[in-house]
């Protein structure tokens, strides 16, 4: 009986390791896709350029 338990435990262990490996690979792929999408988008300017309106003298974005 003990060899059967060792064999069954080994099979369960292999199944758990395969599941964990596939799950980690899937999560890493999703994170890489998100990082690629974030850096592919143009980043908006942090500080808008201000220009002075010649009529009123007020500074406006532009």
């Amino acid at each position: 009986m003990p060899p059967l338990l060792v064999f069954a435990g080994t099979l369960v262990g292999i199944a758990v390791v395969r599941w964990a490996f596939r799950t980690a690979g899937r999560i890493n792929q999703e994170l890489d896709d998100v990082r690629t999408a974030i850096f592919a988008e143009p980043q908006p300017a942090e500080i808008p350029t201000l220009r002075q309106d010649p009529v009123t003298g007020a500074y406006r974005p532009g």
Side-chain angles (χ1 to χ4, degrees):
M1 186 64 125
L4 182 62
L5 291 176
V6 170
F7 180 71
T10 302
L11 289 180
V12 169
I14 290 171
V16 169
V17 168
R18 286 187 65 186
W19 172 81
F21 185 76
R22 287 182 180 176
T23 302
R26 181 182 52 83
I27 291 171
N28 285 334
Q29 182 62 40
E30 289 179 8
L31 288 174
D32 288 342
D33 292 343
V34 169
R35 287 185 191 115
T36 303
I38 288 173
F39 289 116
E41 296 174 3
Q43 298 295 324
E46 294 288 328
I47 302 172
T49 303
L50 298 178
R51 298 182 191 251
Q52 187 175 17
D53 185 2
V55 177
T56 61
Y59 287 94
R60 301 180 191 274

